[in-house]
């Protein structure tokens, strides 16, 4: 299984992504070749980006997400590296946001044939994505949202399984709940996300939870303690009342799925 990534590894700046796109487009409109060096000169002059290595990471991200294309051309001068010329290829980038992405983010399940979702996203979504083996994996938040939105329609029989995975990850992983809820609202799956989050909080924070496996529950609570404050803040900002129950999952299922995710249960 691919190990879970850290936030630092995936952080990009959507404003810089936008500036690169604008620079490539403007150079092309002016009849100039949008080469790597020319793009870097333009961004450096605007005090946007000054380092070769940083620009390389941004451009690779955009190429692998099929937002840009790159063409390698020989130079007329000997012993000089090939020019890398960039062009805009699409209006929106593409990321992997299905079960493959959930596994990439540490889903602790054995999936012989994980389902894939190639989702179009915006620059914010691309900024939070990560390259691994030339694949652009969506953020954990976007992967959960897209998996719940797309895969049950394609494979109705697998819908319960996706609820399991979302519950396991949301109950145990560090999540940007504000971003998650915003994406869920945009994609029309607020009911599912709210239902899962509210049951997780009710189960892992209740004084009198109605669960069978008390030992696993208390181990999960130690992990959940650090996750709860940002969750409640996000729910409050979206005006979600914590006493609302959607019954997407049960308390016993929360304990079972989260326990398996953390390796507490088999």
């Amino acid at each position: 299984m691919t190990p879970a990534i850290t936030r630092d590894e995936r952080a990009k700046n959507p404003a810089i992504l936008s500036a690169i796109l604008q620079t490539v487009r403007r150079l092309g409109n002016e009849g100039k070749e949008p080469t790597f060096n020319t793009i870097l000169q333009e961004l450096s002059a605007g005090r946007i980006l000054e380092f070769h290595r940083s620009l390389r990471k941004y451009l690779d991200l955009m190429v692998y997400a099929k937002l840009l294309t790159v063409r390698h051309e020989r130079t007329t001068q000997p012993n000089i590296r090939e020019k890398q010329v960039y062009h805009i290829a699409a209006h929106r980038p593409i990321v992997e946001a299905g079960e493959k992405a959930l596994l990439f983010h540490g889903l602790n399940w054995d999936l012989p044939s994980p389902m894939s979702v190639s989702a179009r996203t915006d620059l914010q979504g691309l900024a939070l994505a990560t390259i691994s083996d030339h694949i652009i994996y969506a953020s954990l938040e976007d992967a959960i949202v897209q998996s719940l939105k797309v895969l049950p329609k394609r494979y109705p029989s697998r819908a319960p399984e996706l609820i399991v995975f979302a519950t396991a990850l949301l109950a145990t992983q560090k999540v940007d709940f504000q971003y998650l809820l915003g994406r869920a609202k945009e994609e029309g799956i607020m009911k599912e996300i709210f239902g899962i989050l509210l049951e997780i909080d009710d189960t892992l924070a209740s004084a009198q939870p109605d669960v069978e496996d008390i030992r696993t529950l208390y181990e999960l609570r130690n992990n959940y303690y650090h996750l709860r404050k940002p969750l409640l803040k996000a729910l409050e900002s979206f005006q979600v009342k914590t006493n609302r129950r959607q019954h997407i999952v049960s308390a016993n299922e929360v304990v079972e799925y989260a326990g398996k995710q953390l390796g507490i249960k088999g």
Side-chain angles (χ1 to χ4, degrees), residues 85-119:
V85 185
Y86 292 86
H87 295 284
I88 296 175
H91 295 294
R92 300 182 69 190
I94 299 174
V95 295
E96 170 55 53
E99 288 182 341
K100 291 182 178 180
L102 298 181
L103 289 170
F104 177 74
H105 287 287
L107 178 66
N108 191 22
W109 254 260
D110 183 18
L111 300 181
S113 301
M115 296 183 289
S116 174
V117 173
S118 294

Side-chain angles (χ1 to χ4, degrees), residues 11 39 43 46 48 59 64-65 72 96 103 162 164 167 169 184 197 199 206-207 209 228 236 256:
I39 295 169
L43 295 175
I48 298 170
L59 288 172
Y64 291 133
H72 298 266
E96 170 55 53
L103 289 170
L162 293 161
V164 171
T167 303
L169 290 165
L197 292 177
E199 191 61 48
S206 173
R228 190 176 189 230
E236 183 181 0
E256 178 184 352

Side-chain angles (χ1 to χ4, degrees), residues 6-207:
T6 64
R7 296 282 151 173
D8 291 341
E9 288 176 316
R10 73 178 195 176
K12 297 290 187 297
N13 188 330
I16 293 178
L17 288 168
S18 179
I20 292 172
L21 279 178
Q22 293 174 14
T23 299
V24 171
R25 183 180 291 110
R26 179 172 53 78
L27 288 170
N29 291 338
E30 293 174 354
K32 301 175 183 178
E33 280 192 322
T35 65
F36 181 93
N37 289 336
T38 304
I39 295 169
L40 182 61
Q41 290 171 3
E42 293 288 321
L43 295 175
S44 179
R47 297 183 178 181
I48 298 170
L49 202 62
E50 298 181 351
F51 300 105
H52 282 78
R53 188 171 296 178
S54 297
L55 178 59
R56 173 70 60 210
K57 290 180 180 180
Y58 275 93
L59 288 172
D60 285 349
L61 183 70
M62 298 167 81
V63 168
Y64 291 133
K66 297 180 173 55
L67 189 58
L68 295 178
T69 60
V70 58
R71 186 176 70 252
H72 298 266
E73 296 181 356
R74 292 183 178 181
T75 62
T76 56
Q77 298 173 313
N79 301 322
I80 300 295
R81 283 186 174 184
E82 292 180 327
K83 291 190 299 183
Q84 298 162 3
V85 185
Y86 292 86
H87 295 284
I88 296 175
H91 295 294
R92 300 182 69 190
I94 299 174
V95 295
E96 170 55 53
E99 288 182 341
K100 291 182 178 180
L102 298 181
L103 289 170
F104 177 74
H105 287 287
L107 178 66
N108 191 22
W109 254 260
D110 183 18
L111 300 181
S113 301
M115 296 183 289
S116 174
V117 173
S118 294
R120 294 218 175 255
T121 188
D122 53 21
L123 294 183
Q124 178 65 50
L126 182 60
L128 295 174
T130 305
I131 301 175
S132 180
D133 294 330
H134 298 181
I135 298 174
I136 304 294
Y137 290 99
S139 68
L140 174 59
E141 297 84 0
D142 280 318
I144 290 172
V145 168
Q146 290 298 326
S147 292
L148 290 178
K149 174 189 175 184
V150 176
L151 291 176
K153 297 176 183 177
R154 295 182 184 172
Y155 311 97
S157 64
R158 300 280 294 274
E161 182 180 62
L162 293 161
I163 295 294
V164 171
F165 299 158
T167 303
L169 290 165
L170 291 174
T172 59
Q173 306 299 303
K174 185 177 180 181
V175 174
D176 185 337
F177 292 108
Q178 196 76 28
Y179 179 76
L180 171 75
L181 293 175
R183 286 302 205 196
K185 184 176 182 179
E186 291 174 7
E187 299 295 342
I189 61 163
M190 286 288 272
K191 177 183 177 181
E192 291 85 348
I193 296 294
F194 279 158
I196 293 171
L197 292 177
L198 293 176
E199 191 61 48
I200 287 172
D201 188 67
D202 191 54
T203 301
L204 300 184
S206 173

Side-chain angles (χ1 to χ4, degrees), residues 192-264:
E192 291 85 348
I193 296 294
F194 279 158
I196 293 171
L197 292 177
L198 293 176
E199 191 61 48
I200 287 172
D201 188 67
D202 191 54
T203 301
L204 300 184
S206 173
Q208 295 181 319
D210 183 18
V211 300
E212 298 172 2
D213 190 346
I214 298 298
R215 184 187 67 83
T216 299
L217 171 67
Y218 281 106
E219 290 192 51
L220 291 171
R221 281 186 167 182
N222 290 331
N223 180 76
Y224 183 66
Y225 173 79
H226 303 285
L227 307 178
R228 190 176 189 230
K229 186 175 179 180
L231 169 60
L232 294 181
K233 185 176 180 180
L235 290 173
E236 183 181 0
S237 70
F238 278 83
Q239 298 182 336
V240 179
K241 296 181 180 179
T242 55
N243 61 353
R244 287 175 56 192
R245 301 289 293 276
Q246 299 290 338
H247 300 289
I248 303 297
V249 291
S250 69
N252 280 315
E253 287 171 336
V254 169
V255 172
E256 178 184 352
Y257 306 155
K260 177 175 171 53
Q261 174 63 26
L262 292 184
I264 302 171

